[in-house]
């Protein structure tokens, strides 16, 4: 009985607790509803104001709504689906609010899609008549997109400037934006003036980055700074070249080392790949030996050592036989890599030997060496050392490890001096002509490094803390650091600043609150943006409401790294600027197929370029591209003459070159050339043509383009110096694709033509870019076609051939077989004996 009473009491208490809990929940819901209902009306008004097909919702506005009404939204989630909620007079409003806030991304997309659709429909006449030609669909969609950040990824000839002008006119005439609240910035004075003329609105500020920075500095400080001259970098460079012997010698060494384009031999997986590249890039050293003979070295590293010795006027021979006999049953006659001849103080001649060993810092050979071959090579090194020790001859050693570390020539110089080998740097065989020809490329590299370093707000000390090895270490320590130090010293002594400094200073002033306020900033040619310009743009933007940014550019045409442009800002736009809407402009009004397809495939070989599907405004628009091999100066001028004679005199023709001196190839021919630095004029048969560098042709177009001197080599295309890998230490995101900048320069050059592009190259040394467009070039870059029976068993790409015939002591004839790739580094050897008595062949491998 007692148990039943206790159970009944417990049940009663539970029921009471349930009622109390239910009442509390009921009271809580009613209280929440009382709190929500007064706010819901005002919230819905604001939300409806944004979610309105007449208004483009930006990401900052969406985030603002979500953050502002986060608490209210959470409260609605607590009461929805309760009985009390169903009885509320505001339940419909609460549901609408909750649904709107819970799906802001979806609603925003739907809202903005409808906004764009309505704007295009309502303003059709405006877009068809605002400019000389009707805007196309992609241009119009970009213009009416009013996101916080809009990046318009355009194509060559797609009407970038027209779109910028259309955007400004649309904002002023259709969105009612005060022209004084719009800033339009570009990169050149000419472009700014052109945009100002087209817009014809004096209230709209259309300026270059540099002028705007100077205006801000002048306004805030009351004194505009004095700018360095346009040729300031050149002045610093020339002063160093004329007055600093060490710098001049380093420049010469830099030019010589830049001739060698192969990868490190330890990066190749097979001898076949190594030999292939050796055949493409060549094996000839710049300097000849003491007898005037051309030196064909077996590796790039040996070529560089050869040039080091030759430039210092040292007397040497390559692979000359050792002064002592070494041939025995195990060894051929020893031929050291370099024999160096020198005289002591008593004028007595001596001979030193320099051996370069292909071993890395771990004492290992390149990957393609088999185990037995590597053991044999390492044993041979010890044999050579022992041989010199026993004979008392001088042995100097270098290795691939020294090249990797970057101190190979410092080490070599010390060893030469210890041996008593002297040279006079003042009387060495100089390459002044090559220095002069490479001047612009070297300046491009030096100014790129300087501006990129300043743009990223890092110092030389920061650079030196990085793990810098090989050629990069020599380049930075012996060329770049002296140049930047001299540059800064000259700036300070003259109390001047350059454009990069001006933008950095203006940015600091803006961040301190000294800035004009704009609702919109429009940027033309955005692919040329640099890190300091990026920070300048960000410093100019309001945060509430956020100043909107509209940028138009073509990353395929980003070719101004020497002015500090940093591709990472285009490639990773949203990473730097925040949420971004990307638009495309893929219709080109300049050129057609097949040039579109071929040029697009070429540029997209670099996976870091943005994907675009470029097409012509008309399928009937045709533009061809032809590659014309030439042989010598006379042949070049003759082939160009034939081309021009076939082109109507009503058509205009541009001559383009990678370098300003490329036009000199037409001098002393049927053509008359006037001027040779930058733009030049060319006359022929009463017709006048313009020559300019590809960089100068950016933004221009012509009926026909003749691109000169697309060759490989030290002064070739691509330029190894201007696009030097050393720039990776100052780029925000290093260009992971070889010659990425030079590839874009080539693309710009071939896409200036509306009707036809002609690319001229020397048939025996075409640019690597030519090979990508063409197939079947029978030059050094193509492997020999060899039947399986003749194929070299070691490198698998050369031909087995007889290099020597002899007769053994027993009277049997024999043949020494070698590989046709011997001069490229394949040391395959076989001896074939012929037994006259048995008439059978026995192969014996050494």
């Amino acid at each position: 009985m007692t148990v039943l009473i206790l159970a009944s009491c417990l049940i009663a208490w539970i029921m009471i607790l349930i009622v109390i809990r239910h009442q509390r929940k009921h009271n809580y819901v009613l209280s929440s509803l009382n709190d929500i209902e007064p706010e819901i009306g005002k919230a819905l008004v604001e939300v409806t104001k944004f979610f309105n097909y007449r208004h483009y919702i930006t990401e900052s506005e969406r985030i603002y709504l979500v953050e502002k009404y986060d608490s209210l939204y959470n409260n609605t989630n607590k009461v929805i689906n309760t009985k009390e909620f169903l009885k509320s007079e505001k339940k419909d409003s609460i549901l609408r609010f909750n649904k709107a806030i819970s799906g802001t991304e979806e609603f925003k997309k739907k809202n903005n899609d409808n906004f764009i659709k309505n704007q295009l429909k309502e303003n059709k006449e405006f877009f068809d008549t605002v400019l000389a030609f009707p805007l196309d669909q992609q241009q119009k969609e970009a213009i009416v997109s009013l996101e916080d950040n809009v990046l318009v990824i355009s194509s060559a000839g797609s009407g970038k400037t027209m779109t910028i002008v259309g955007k400004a006119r649309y904002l002023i005439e259709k969105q009612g934006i005060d022209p004084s609240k719009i800033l339009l910035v570009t990169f050149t004075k000419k472009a700014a003036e052109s945009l100002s003329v087209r817009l014809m609105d004096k209230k709209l500020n259309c300026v270059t980055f540099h002028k705007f920075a100077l205006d801000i500095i002048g306004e805030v400080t009351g004194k505009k700074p004095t700018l360095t001259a346009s040729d300031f970098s050149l002045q610093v460079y020339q002063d160093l070249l004329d007055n600093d012997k060490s710098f001049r010698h380093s420049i010469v060494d830099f030019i010589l080392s830049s001739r060698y384009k192969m990868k490190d031999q330890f990066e190749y997986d097979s001898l076949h790949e190594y030999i292939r590249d050796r055949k493409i890039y060549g094996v000839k050293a710049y300097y000849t030996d003491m007898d005037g003979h051309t030196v064909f070295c077996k590796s790039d590293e040996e070529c560089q050592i050869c040039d080091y010795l030759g430039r210092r006027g040292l007397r040497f021979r390559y692979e000359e036989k050792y002064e002592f006999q070494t041939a025995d049953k195990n060894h051929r006659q020893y031929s050291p890599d370099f024999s160096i001849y020198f005289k002591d103080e008593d004028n007595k001649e001596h001979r030193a030997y320099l051996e370069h060993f292909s071993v890395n810092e771990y004492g290992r050979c390149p990957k393609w060496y088999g185990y037995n071959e590597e053991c044999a090579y390492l044993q041979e090194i010890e044999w050579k050392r022992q041989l010199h020790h026993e004979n008392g001859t001088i042995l100097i050693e270098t290795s691939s490890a020294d090249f990797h570390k970057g101190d190979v020539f410092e080490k070599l110089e010390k060893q030469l001096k210890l041996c008593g080998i002297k040279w006079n740097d003042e009387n060495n065989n100089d390459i002044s002509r090559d220095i002069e020809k490479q001047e612009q490329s070297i300046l491009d590299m030096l100014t790129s490094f300087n501006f990129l370093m300043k743009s990223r707000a890092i110092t030389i000390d920061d650079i030196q803390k990085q793990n810098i090895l090989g050629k990069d270490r020599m380049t930075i320590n012996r060329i770049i650091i002296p140049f930047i130090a001299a540059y800064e010293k000259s700036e300070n002594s003259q109390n001047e600043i350059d454009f990069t400094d001006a933008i950095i200073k203006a940015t600091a002033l803006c961040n301190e609150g000294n800035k004009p306020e704009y609702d919109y900033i429009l940027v033309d040619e955005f692919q040329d943006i640099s890190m300091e310009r990026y920070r300048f743009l960000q410093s100019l933007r309001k945060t509430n409401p956020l100043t909107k940014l509209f940028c138009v550019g073509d990353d395929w045409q980003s070719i101004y790294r020497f002015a500090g442009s940093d591709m990472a800002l285009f490639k990773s736009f949203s990473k730097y600027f925040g949420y971004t809407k990307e638009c495309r402009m893929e219709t080109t009004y300049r050129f057609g197929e097949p040039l579109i397809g071929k040029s697009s495939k070429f540029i997209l070989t670099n996976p870091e370029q943005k994907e675009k599907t470029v097409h012509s405004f008309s399928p009937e628009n045709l533009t061809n591209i032809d590659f014309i091999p030439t042989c010598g100066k006379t042949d070049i001028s003759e082939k160009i003459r034939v081309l021009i004679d076939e082109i109507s005199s009503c058509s205009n023709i541009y001559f383009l070159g990678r370098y300003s001196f490329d036009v000199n190839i037409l001098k002393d021919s049927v053509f008359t050339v006037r001027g040779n630095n930058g733009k030049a004029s060319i006359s022929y048969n009463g017709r006048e043509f313009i020559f300019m560098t590809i960089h100068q042709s950016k933004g221009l177009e012509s009926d026909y383009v003749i691109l000169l001197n697309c060759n490989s080599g030290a002064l070739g295309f691509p330029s190894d110096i201007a696009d030097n890998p050393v720039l990776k230490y100052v780029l925000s995101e290093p260009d992971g694709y070889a010659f990425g900048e030079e590839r874009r320069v080539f693309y710009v050059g071939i896409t200036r033509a509306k009707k036809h592009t002609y690319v001229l190259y020397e048939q025996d040394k075409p640019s690597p870019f030519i090979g990508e467009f063409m197939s079947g070039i029978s030059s050094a870059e193509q492997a020999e076609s060899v039947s399986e029976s003749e194929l070299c068993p070691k490198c698998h790409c050369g031909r087995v051939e007889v290099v020597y015939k002899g007769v053994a002591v027993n009277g049997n004839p024999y043949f020494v077989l070698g590989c046709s790739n011997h001069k490229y580094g394949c040391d395959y050897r076989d001896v074939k004996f012929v037994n006259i008595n048995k008439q059978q062949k026995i192969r014996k491998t050494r």
Side-chain angles (χ1 to χ4, degrees):
M1 188 68 176
T2 304
V3 173
L4 290 173
I5 293 171
L6 290 174
S8 299
C9 290
L10 180 61
I11 292 170
W13 275 107
I14 291 172
M15 293 300 293
I16 291 169
L17 289 173
I18 291 172
V19 170
I20 292 172
R21 184 178 179 185
H22 178 76
Q23 186 63 41
R24 284 179 178 175
K25 183 178 180 182
H26 173 73
N27 293 338
Y28 173 78
V29 172
L30 288 177
S31 176
S32 296
L33 282 170
N34 288 333
D35 292 337
I36 291 171
E37 287 175 346
E39 295 183 39
I40 239 20
K42 291 184 293 183
L44 264 179
V45 169
E46 185 169 17
V47 170
T48 304
K49 175 184 174 183
F50 284 106
F51 290 97
N52 177 348
Y53 294 167
R54 305 298 303 173
H55 174 76
Y56 190 101
I57 305 170
T58 66
E59 184 65 7
S60 61
E61 291 171 338
R62 186 191 72 79
I63 292 173
Y64 163 79
L65 286 176
V66 170
E67 291 178 348
K68 180 175 181 179
Y69 293 111
D70 181 62
S71 176
L72 183 61
Y73 171 69
N74 289 332
N75 287 336
T76 62
N77 279 333
K78 295 173 183 177
V79 300
I80 287 178
N81 297 326
T82 64
K83 293 180 180 179
E84 293 81 2
F85 169 76
L86 295 174
K87 296 176 182 178
S88 171
E89 296 178 357
K90 296 289 185 78
K91 69 176 182 178
D92 291 338
S93 297
I94 294 172
L95 280 172
R96 285 172 58 202
F97 169 82
N98 184 272
K99 183 178 180 181
I101 296 299
S102 66
T104 54
E105 291 184 358
E106 180 185 347
F107 277 104
K108 175 192 168 187
K109 183 180 184 309
K110 183 178 180 181
N111 182 90
N112 290 348
D113 287 346
N114 279 284
F115 173 85
I116 290 173
K117 182 179 178 181
N118 291 340
Q119 286 294 301
L120 295 181
K121 182 179 180 180
E122 292 174 10
N123 298 299
K124 182 180 184 307
E125 183 179 357
F126 171 82
F127 288 122
D128 287 345
T129 60
V130 67
L131 298 172
F133 300 97
L135 293 163
D136 64 38
Q137 186 68 18
Q138 286 184 320
Q139 290 172 327
K140 290 185 287 188
E141 287 185 7
I143 288 171
V144 299
S145 295
L146 303 179
E147 186 55 81
D148 294 322
N149 300 299
V150 176
L151 175 63
V152 184
I153 302 170
S154 58
S155 307
S158 62
K160 292 186 289 293
T161 303
M162 285 176 59
T163 305
I164 285 280
V165 173
K167 180 77 172 186
R169 295 282 296 275
Y170 170 77
L171 292 175
I172 296 168
E173 298 177 30
K174 297 300 177 180
Q175 289 295 316
I177 305 297
D178 184 342
S180 66
K181 293 297 183 182
I182 300 173
L183 173 66
L184 203 163
V185 286
T186 188
F187 289 82
T188 66
K189 182 179 179 181
K190 183 178 178 180
E193 291 173 348
S194 174
L195 285 167
S196 294
V197 169
R198 296 191 189 198
L199 286 163
M200 294 183 295
D201 194 316
K202 294 181 180 181
K203 292 183 179 179
L204 193 151
N205 198 2
C206 183
V207 292
T208 64
F209 278 97
H210 302 138
K211 184 181 184 306
F212 194 52
L214 292 172
D215 288 345
I216 289 173
I217 296 171
E219 181 69 26
V220 176
T221 66
K223 183 180 178 181
K224 282 190 178 181
T226 302
L227 290 173
T228 56
S230 59
D231 62 347
F232 185 75
S233 291
L234 176 60
Q235 292 176 24
V236 173
Y237 172 77
Q238 284 294 347
D239 185 63
L240 281 170
L241 213 57
D242 295 339
N243 301 307
D244 188 328
K245 295 175 184 176
S246 175
F247 182 80
R248 182 178 179 83
H249 295 157
S250 298
I251 287 292
V252 174
D253 288 337
F254 175 68
I255 290 173
L256 289 172
S257 66
S258 296
R259 298 175 66 245
Y260 304 105
K261 305 176 180 66
M262 287 186 64
K263 297 184 294 186
D264 186 301
Q265 60 183 326
F266 285 81
E267 295 180 31
Y268 291 95
D269 292 322
S270 69
L271 180 60
H272 183 183
E273 294 174 356
Y274 176 71
I275 295 294
R276 178 202 62 201
D277 276 8
R278 292 229 72 206
K279 296 176 78 172
I280 291 174
Y281 297 120
V283 296
K284 186 173 74 171
Y286 183 88
Y287 286 95
T288 59
D289 68 7
M290 59 191 288
D291 304 313
H293 298 146
T294 299
V295 180
F296 295 93
C297 296
K298 290 190 173 66
S299 73
D300 266 12
E301 292 175 352
E302 285 188 358
C303 276
Q304 292 180 62
I305 292 172
C306 181
D307 288 343
Y308 177 90
L309 300 175
R311 199 181 77 73
R312 281 151 184 81
L314 295 174
R315 299 163 58 238
F316 71 92
R317 293 191 180 102
Y318 181 69
E319 292 193 333
E320 182 183 19
K321 289 182 179 179
Y322 187 50
E323 59 190 280
F324 295 97
Q325 287 297 318
T326 63
D328 57 25
K329 64 179 181 180
N330 294 317
H331 301 93
R332 295 193 296 269
Q333 176 60 34
Y334 172 40
S335 297
D337 291 335
F338 297 93
S339 295
I340 304 172
Y341 291 84
F342 65 100
K343 293 182 178 181
D344 60 20
E345 294 179 354
D346 298 325
N347 207 34
K348 182 179 178 181
E349 184 151 282
H350 299 273
R351 183 179 179 186
Y353 300 94
L354 192 161
E355 281 284 2
H356 180 67
F357 299 130
S358 294
V359 291
N360 61 17
E361 48 269 47
Y362 305 106
R364 299 298 303 273
C365 297
K367 297 177 186 176
W368 67 78
Y369 280 59
Y371 174 77
N372 292 334
E373 191 174 10
E374 182 176 55
C375 290
Y377 185 82
L378 297 177
Q379 289 173 6
E380 190 176 77
I381 291 176
E382 294 306 317
W383 175 76
K384 290 176 180 178
R385 288 170 175 165
Q386 184 64 27
L387 189 67
H388 285 284
H389 177 73
E390 291 174 354
N391 292 316
T393 48
I394 301 171
L395 175 63
I396 297 171
E397 294 184 20
T398 58
S399 69
S400 296
D402 301 325
F403 274 94
H404 298 168
K405 188 177 178 182
D407 63 354
V408 61
F409 296 121
E410 295 169 13
K411 179 178 177 180
L412 178 54
E413 185 171 311
K414 288 179 182 178
Q415 292 185 81
L416 291 171
K417 288 181 177 178
L418 283 173
C419 295
I421 301 174
K422 300 178 181 179
W423 61 90
N424 187 346
D425 282 328
E426 298 305 310
N427 297 320
N428 62 45
N429 185 12
D430 210 344
I431 54 171
S432 299
R433 188 165 176 269
D434 279 23
I435 292 178
E436 183 180 340
K437 282 192 170 184
Q438 290 283 21
E439 178 178 88
Q440 191 57 55
S441 294
I442 295 170
L443 266 178
D444 286 351
M445 185 271 291
L446 291 173
T447 53
S448 291
F449 198 101
N450 187 24
F451 292 154
L452 286 167
M453 190 184 75
K454 289 201 285 187
S455 292
R456 289 190 61 200
I458 56 179
T459 66
I460 281 294
D461 288 339
D462 297 325
I463 300 296
Q464 291 180 313
K465 288 176 184 176
Q466 300 183 51
N467 185 29
I468 302 172
L469 299 173
K471 288 183 182 180
D472 294 346
R473 194 166 83 94
M474 292 184 284
T475 302
I476 288 175
N477 291 338
R478 294 166 55 187
I479 296 176
I480 291 175
I481 290 179
F483 174 81
I484 291 177
Y487 188 98
E488 291 177 351
K489 182 180 178 181
S490 185
E491 269 191 318
N492 293 334
S493 66
Q494 298 178 38
N495 195 26
E496 296 176 345
I497 64 172
D498 60 30
F499 282 137
T500 301
D501 298 323
I503 291 176
I504 292 171
K505 186 171 183 178
T507 301
L509 293 173
C510 289
N511 285 331
E512 293 169 3
N514 305 293
K515 63 180 180 183
E517 290 195 349
Y518 293 100
D519 294 337
Y520 279 86
I521 298 176
L522 315 183
V523 185
D524 192 16
E525 301 290 356
F526 184 79
Q527 74 276 353
D528 298 327
I529 194 74
S530 58
M531 192 57 69
E532 90 279 357
R533 293 187 185 102
Y534 151 72
R535 285 193 288 267
F536 187 34
L537 284 175
Q538 293 293 69
S539 73
L540 290 168
R541 302 178 76 180
K542 303 191 304 289
T543 55
N544 187 25
L546 182 63
T547 301
K548 295 182 180 180
L549 185 65
F550 181 82
C551 303
V552 181
D554 180 4
D555 64 306
W556 294 7
Q557 298 187 76
S558 178
I559 62 172
Y560 289 104
R561 186 183 286 169
F562 63 85
S565 66
D566 195 329
M567 273 285 294
L569 291 160
F570 195 106
K571 183 175 68 175
S572 306
F573 189 97
S574 59
K575 170 185 172 182
Y576 291 95
F577 290 97
Y579 182 89
T580 300
K581 177 175 181 180
E582 284 191 1
C583 299
R584 291 287 196 278
M585 292 199 322
E586 298 166 309
T587 303
T588 176
Y589 295 90
R590 179 182 304 152
F591 57 102
E593 295 290 0
L595 180 58
I596 288 176
K598 291 182 177 181
S599 61
S600 296
K601 180 181 178 181
F602 170 76
I603 197 69
L604 286 174
T605 300
N606 182 353
E608 296 185 6
Q609 304 292 165
K610 294 276 190 180
E611 285 276 356
K612 281 178 284 190
T613 305
V614 183
H615 54 271
S616 176
F617 70 97
S618 169
E620 297 177 359
N621 189 35
L622 302 177
T623 308
N624 288 304
I625 180 169
D626 284 319
F627 298 87
I628 302 175
T630 62
C631 184
K633 185 173 181 177
T634 302
D635 187 44
I636 291 172
S637 60
E638 176 59 20
K639 285 183 175 175
I640 293 176
R641 183 193 65 79
V642 171
L643 287 177
I644 291 177
D645 286 344
E646 293 176 350
I647 296 173
S648 168
S649 59
C650 298
S651 299
N652 61 328
I653 303 172
Y654 279 167
F655 284 80
L656 302 181
R658 172 62 184 82
Y659 308 95
S660 59
F661 55 76
D662 282 335
V663 70
N664 294 339
I665 198 71
L666 298 179
K667 287 186 174 180
D668 303 318
S669 67
V670 294
F671 298 94
T672 301
V673 179
R674 291 184 296 276
N676 62 10
N677 186 19
K679 290 186 178 180
S681 62
I682 300 171
S683 302
Y684 165 70
N685 198 23
R687 298 173 68 177
E688 293 286 331
F689 311 101
I690 294 175
F691 168 85
M692 67 186 85
T693 65
I694 294 174
H695 285 89
Q696 291 170 328
S697 74
K698 175 74 171 59
L700 303 178
E701 62 184 26
S702 178
D703 293 323
Y704 295 84
V705 163
I706 298 175
L707 189 53
L708 302 172
N709 297 346
C710 292
N711 309 318
S712 60
L715 296 171
F717 199 170
S719 168
D720 299 280
I721 293 178
D723 204 6
N724 196 282
V726 76
L727 296 174
K728 65 178 174 283
Y729 297 103
V730 285
L731 285 168
S732 301
E733 296 177 23
D735 198 335
Y737 200 78
F739 300 118
E741 179 90 350
E742 289 293 292
R743 181 174 292 271
R744 292 187 289 271
V745 174
F746 193 84
Y747 173 82
V748 169
I750 62 176
T751 57
R752 298 306 93 195
K754 294 187 285 186
K755 295 181 179 179
H756 209 131
T757 293
Y758 298 98
V759 181
L760 277 68
Y761 66 94
E762 290 186 33
Q763 61 185 13
D764 60 342
K765 55 173 185 178
S767 161
F769 293 157
I770 302 292
E772 293 188 39
F773 281 91
M774 303 177 65
S775 60
I777 298 178
S778 56
S779 67
E781 69 183 278
Q782 300 297 320
E784 296 177 60
S785 178
V786 185
S787 67
E788 192 66 31
S789 61
E790 297 175 304
L791 196 66
C792 171
K794 185 170 185 178
C795 71
H796 302 289
C797 59
R799 176 184 287 106
V800 174
E801 55 189 18
V802 176
V803 296
Y804 180 76
K805 296 180 180 180
V807 179
V809 292
N810 62 3
N812 288 332
Y814 68 90
F815 304 91
V816 178
L817 304 176
C819 178
S820 60
N821 284 332
H822 174 69
K823 69 177 182 179
Y824 300 111
C826 181
D827 60 358
Y828 169 76
R829 280 291 185 276
D830 241 8
V831 179
K832 181 187 291 185
F833 288 93
V834 179
N835 189 317
I836 298 176
N837 297 324
K838 295 184 178 181
Q839 290 296 303
Q840 65 180 22
K841 300 177 182 179
I842 303 173
R843 294 179 66 95
K844 177 183 177 183
T845 304
R846 277 187 170 181

